[in-house]
Amino acid sequence: MTTAIDALNHYLNFPGGDILTEVVNILEPQWQLTDVYQGNTFFDGFDFFNDTDPTHGFVNYVNKEKAQHDGLIKIDKSSIVMKVDNSTTFATASKNQERGRSSVRISSHKDYDSGLFLFDVEHIPVACGAWPALWLLGPNWPNGGEIDVIEGVNLQSQNLMALHTSSGCKQRPSPLKQTGKTLTNDCDVKSPDQAPNQGCSVEDQSKKSFGSGFNQNGGGIFALQWTAETGIQIWFFDRANIPKDIVNNSNKHPNPKLWGIPSANFPFDPNYCTFRSFSKLKIIINTTFCGDWAGNSTIYKKHNCPGQNCIDFIRKNPNKLNEAYWRIRSIKVYKLT
């Protein structure tokens, strides 16, 4: 049966649903671009964290000046690069040992209470002992909430998306429209039925979503939608399958309703989790080493990493960290208007 849209497509000779995109955009509220982090001005929008790692990693986070001097950050062909120290070999551990291997952790000046975020990433750090993450964090953790968009450790091949909150927030049970696999459903970092700070987590089923598989395929775009009406959804699009309305900035008003089922879906529901669990979140990008997750002996061995001790490996093998870098084309943030 021919619909009105089909007839209009035929009459105006619009290819494959383009008119539908325009009709949807005209009739509904639109996502309006508000912030762009990109190119030479990318780092101007971020603070550099140089305190002790809260996740107990073997890492020395350096300030912007030190990062520039040591070549840990740079702009390369309009993309930004954030790498780790891959040249220093450390002495045997001692009580007075420095914090650890130099790396970078940045946090956006601006904080957000909702939005659509597009993270165009070309390369994610991968190495035994490495723990990279791209996430959003609120004040007075965990009360302000945390959204992990990209995270994994060691030689992991699938992205892990998660929420971390205080008590009273859970992922709504099935039926739930998402392509990923729910591993844990209680977002409370102190949930008695889960490991400490595990949160509610969803594993992406694509092996192009993290690690070597991601990097070898040119990366892709991670999209985060966060509104009071929809809750929190995360999509991953590999480089060959980015929707037309966001590829190459072809449309200034991206529409998640046209993207299909998300990788992870955390709908807000008064019986499970509400919008109030997340507020004033800042964008954070970092790479730490070992620590509470990557350095866990069971996890470290699970990924077939060498030796028995994560920190010992990171101390002695800087040449194994050549792939431990972020390469990011842009971060774009949209507001619903």
Side-chain angles (χ1 to χ4, degrees):
M1 180 178 180
T2 302
T3 66
I5 292 296
D6 291 332
L8 190 55
N9 276 331
H10 178 74
Y11 180 76
L12 296 176
N13 195 29
F14 274 91
D18 287 349
I19 186 63
L20 176 59
T21 301
E22 294 304 316
V23 169
V24 170
N25 282 339
I26 291 170
L27 296 180
E28 296 186 350
Q30 295 183 334
W31 287 106
Q32 183 70 41
L33 184 65
T34 59
D35 298 304
V36 178
Y37 304 89
Q38 188 174 28
N40 291 329
T41 61
F42 182 96
F43 292 111
D44 295 344
F46 290 87
D47 294 310
F48 282 67
F49 177 91
N50 64 346
D51 207 342
T52 304
D53 181 19
T55 63
H56 311 109
F58 180 70
V59 65
N60 176 39
Y61 287 126
V62 300
N63 61 30
K64 184 176 183 179
E65 293 72 23
K66 176 71 169 172
Q68 289 175 321
H69 179 270
D70 292 353
L72 302 188
I73 61 170
K74 66 178 181 178
I75 311 298
D76 181 42
K77 298 178 181 177
S78 77
S79 294
I80 69 99
V81 175
M82 288 173 47
K83 64 188 291 288
V84 306
D85 168 18
N86 61 343
S87 61
T88 305
T89 300
F90 288 83
T92 304
S94 69
K95 291 183 179 179
N96 297 320
Q97 177 64 49
E98 54 268 80
R99 290 178 185 170
R101 186 170 295 282
S102 291
S103 183
V104 177
R105 169 172 163 162
I106 59 175
S107 175
S108 63
H109 297 324
K110 292 190 68 171
D111 56 55
Y112 300 91
D113 288 308
S114 63
L116 178 66
F117 303 76
L118 301 181
F119 304 97
D120 190 339
V121 182
E122 293 179 311
H123 191 282
I124 294 173
V126 57
C128 281
W131 178 358
L134 190 158
W135 45 306
L136 285 79
L137 178 67
N140 191 26
W141 186 90
N143 298 311
E146 174 184 334
I147 304 172
D148 298 335
V149 179
I150 309 172
E151 189 172 26
V153 296
N154 301 321
L155 304 181
Q156 188 173 313
S157 61
Q158 293 161 259
N159 186 37
L160 190 67
M161 301 153 284
L163 307 183
H164 301 267
T165 67
S166 53
S167 61
C169 181
K170 293 185 177 181
Q171 185 186 37
R172 195 175 70 194
S174 296
L176 193 65
K177 290 185 177 181
Q178 64 178 29
T179 61
K181 178 182 178 181
T182 295
L183 303 183
T184 52
N185 65 0
D186 195 341
C187 310
D188 181 4
V189 299
K190 296 182 179 179
S191 172
D193 301 320
Q194 298 175 182
N197 192 25
Q198 194 165 13
C200 46
S201 58
V202 176
E203 181 183 62
D204 199 302
Q205 296 305 284
S206 170
K207 291 193 175 182
K208 295 180 181 179
S209 65
F210 199 83
S212 297
F214 177 89
N215 297 336
Q216 290 167 4
N217 284 279
I221 289 182
F222 296 86
L224 164 66
Q225 177 180 243
W226 165 30
T227 74
E229 294 73 29
T230 65
I232 294 170
Q233 289 77 38
I234 301 172
W235 289 260
F236 167 64
F237 306 110
D238 65 63
R239 189 63 62 192
N241 293 289
I242 298 172
K244 290 181 179 179
D245 62 332
I246 58 177
V247 67
N248 295 327
N249 199 30
S250 60
N251 190 324
K252 295 182 179 180
H253 306 290
N255 193 335
K257 291 184 178 180
L258 304 175
W259 297 349
I261 299 173
S263 303
N265 189 5
F266 304 96
F268 290 139
D269 184 309
N271 296 316
Y272 292 96
C273 189
T274 70
F275 188 71
R276 292 188 297 273
S277 295
F278 303 88
S279 63
K280 299 187 181 305
L281 303 191
K282 292 179 179 288
I283 300 167
I284 297 179
I285 310 169
N286 71 284
T287 305
T288 187
F289 298 105
C290 304
D292 298 335
W293 188 12
N296 178 287
S297 60
T298 301
I299 300 297
Y300 187 75
K301 293 176 184 176
K302 175 184 175 182
H303 293 121
N304 297 315
C305 289
Q308 300 296 315
N309 184 284
C310 178
I311 292 179
D312 189 55
F313 176 78
I314 292 299
R315 284 179 180 281
K316 299 176 181 179
N317 296 279
N319 62 320
K320 301 296 185 181
L321 302 176
N322 295 337
E323 290 295 311
Y325 67 91
W326 290 94
R327 186 179 178 93
I328 299 173
R329 291 186 180 182
S330 67
I331 297 174
K332 296 179 181 180
V333 184
Y334 298 77
K335 181 179 180 180
L336 202 58
T337 58

